[in-house]
Amino acid sequence: MTERESLPRLKRLLPKLKGCSIGVLGDLMLDRYLSGDALKLSPEVPVPVVEFKEQKEFLGGAANVAANLAALDAKVEAFGVTGADEPARSLRTCLRRAGIAAKGVVVDKSRITTVKMRVIAKQHQIVRIDSEKRDPVSSAIEGKLFSELLKSLPHLDGLILSDYDKGVLISDAFIERVLGAAHRAKVPVFVKPKTTRLYAYRGARVIACNKKEAEFFLTRQLSDEESFDAALRDLLPRFGCGAMIITRGDKGMSILDESWRRHITIPATSFEVTYARVGQRGVERGSLGRQVFDVTGAGDTVLSVLSLAVAAGAPVLDAAMLANIAAGEVVGKLGTATISISDLAAGLDSLRR
């Protein structure tokens, strides 16, 4: 069944998204944008001189997943680790403004808060500067995180594990404890894994990765539908999850549930976007910017909407269709833009035309 044929059912799903309680555990980051004009080259080296105009800050990494959920009127709790520094204070301010509970954000004075700073000139990204510590968090910090999560699990409808390989979701033992506790509390778990691990998420309801990650896991290239079907069939038992999704950029996404005979591919929908819309909701359909398919940003959107829809009671296929539409509305990670219920409704309406 196509998205167009499923429109009435997907429309009825939208009101159910509001008010669901979702926890997000993972690598919280701060996305910082410094923007201005570049009117000349430096006399020192042949690089643009950017005349600074403004600085913007947004939630990144696992915090971007939380921001996507909050924009969809979900009740969101963030669980992660920051340093005791200025970026941590800015990140907490962004969480508060987004209406995201931060009781589960643990401070580790031995770490720095992950910051990805982008310099933008005339709507073009000049450079990105990363500040981060990727060492595994200590067992004491893991214990604090787990304790905070246990307090919240009884009232969560779903839990997302968002791994950016920055040290929070490194320990297999810690992940197993989290999954075990969620299983006992009957809370479905949704995962965006990193390529540093393969077997640590057994029991998850849905695992979502992109094409490049799937190829790494399987040590082979994916090209046609048959190769994606075989990939999903191989990854499903390896992860031990209920359903597997591979996002494919401008080709949409392929999904396989353990109860299906064959995978389903949902074609992508997209619009053109520019860096002028950093941090804004939705997209400008009439813009003349470049076509963007950033699998990381799209993965955040897909994971957020799919997890929320399944937690609200939707079948995995309906949730995937809705997530695909959401990814088309927020194509690429341009300033961790989020999508609202009204944006999703508009995306559904556009399929009628």
Side-chain angles (χ1 to χ4, degrees):
M1 181 176 291
T2 66
E3 288 167 316
R4 186 186 295 272
E5 293 170 331
S6 303
L7 278 176
R9 193 169 65 254
L10 296 179
K11 275 276 194 178
R12 290 193 297 271
L13 175 59
L14 295 184
K16 298 179 182 179
L17 303 182
K18 297 182 180 182
C20 278
S21 294
I22 307 291
V24 180
L25 169 62
D27 299 299
L28 307 175
M29 306 182 197
L30 182 69
D31 279 357
R32 183 168 277 170
Y33 287 77
L34 305 180
S35 61
D37 293 329
L39 304 176
K40 61 182 179 180
L41 293 177
S42 169
E44 302 164 353
V45 289
V47 297
V49 175
V50 179
E51 296 182 5
F52 173 76
K53 284 192 172 182
E54 64 177 344
Q55 175 176 305
K56 294 181 180 180
E57 294 173 334
F58 306 96
L59 297 170
N64 179 38
V65 176
N68 272 274
L69 291 163
L72 290 164
D73 298 326
K75 297 176 182 177
V76 189
E77 295 188 41
F79 301 89
V81 180
T82 70
D85 47 23
E86 178 274 327
R89 292 189 290 274
S90 295
L91 191 148
R92 285 181 180 272
T93 297
C94 290
L95 288 171
R96 185 171 60 254
R97 288 175 179 169
I100 299 168
K103 292 180 182 178
V105 179
V106 176
V107 175
D108 183 348
K109 294 182 179 179
S110 71
R111 302 180 74 86
I112 61 173
T113 304
T114 300
V115 179
K116 301 204 179 281
M117 183 171 67
R118 298 165 176 86
V119 179
I120 309 296
K122 292 287 186 181
Q123 303 179 18
H124 297 286
Q125 181 172 315
I126 303 300
V127 67
R128 192 182 88 180
I129 303 169
D130 292 357
S131 300
E132 61 188 26
K133 183 176 181 179
R134 299 175 64 181
D135 298 338
V137 298
S138 67
S139 58
I141 294 297
E142 280 186 353
K144 290 181 180 180
L145 266 179
F146 188 69
S147 177
E148 292 298 329
L149 181 63
L150 281 182
K151 296 176 187 176
S152 297
L153 272 176
H155 62 259
L156 292 181
D157 298 307
L159 175 65
I160 296 175
L161 304 188
S162 181
D163 189 0
Y164 278 82
D165 203 19
K166 307 303 179 189
V168 172
L169 296 174
I170 292 291
S171 165
D172 287 353
F174 176 61
I175 294 171
E176 288 173 2
R177 288 179 71 195
V178 169
L179 284 167
H183 180 72
R184 289 190 294 273
K186 295 182 171 54
V187 175
V189 179
F190 309 87
V191 183
K192 177 65 172 69
K194 290 300 289 186
T195 52
T196 50
R197 61 181 66 255
L198 184 57
Y199 302 106
Y201 302 111
R202 293 192 176 278
R205 178 65 187 94
V206 182
I207 290 182
C209 66
N210 61 47
K211 175 177 177 286
K212 183 178 179 181
E213 290 164 341
E215 290 174 337
F216 180 90
F217 290 140
L218 297 167
T219 65
R220 65 177 187 262
Q221 296 294 308
L222 305 181
S223 54
D224 55 16
E225 290 301 316
E226 290 301 322
S227 67
F228 275 93
D229 187 71
L232 289 163
R233 291 187 182 281
D234 286 345
L235 289 173
L236 200 65
R238 288 196 196 185
F239 277 116
C241 57
M244 188 78 209
I245 289 179
I246 301 177
T247 56
R248 300 170 58 179
D250 60 352
K251 299 295 190 299
M253 67 177 71
S254 295
I255 178 171
L256 178 66
D257 186 90
E258 60 184 350
S259 63
W260 299 352
R261 289 186 175 182
R262 187 171 176 80
H263 83 287
I264 294 173
T265 293
I266 306 172
T269 60
S270 65
F271 300 98
E272 294 181 343
V273 291
T274 73
Y275 276 101
R277 298 190 62 78
V278 164
Q280 298 184 33
R281 292 185 177 185
V283 296
E284 183 179 2
R285 289 171 168 78
S287 69
L288 299 176
R290 62 188 176 90
Q291 192 79 8
V292 178
F293 277 94
D294 183 319
V295 294
T296 303
D300 285 345
T301 302
V302 167
L303 183 64
S304 301
V305 176
L306 181 134
S307 303
L308 181 57
V310 173
V316 170
L317 181 56
D318 285 358
M321 287 181 177
L322 199 62
N324 186 61
I325 291 166
E329 290 289 301
V330 185
V331 183
K333 189 179 179 182
L334 302 183
T336 60
T338 57
I339 186 170
S340 67
I341 294 290
S342 59
D343 292 329
L344 272 178
L348 288 169
D349 288 339
S350 69
L351 293 180
R352 289 198 177 101
R353 296 192 287 271

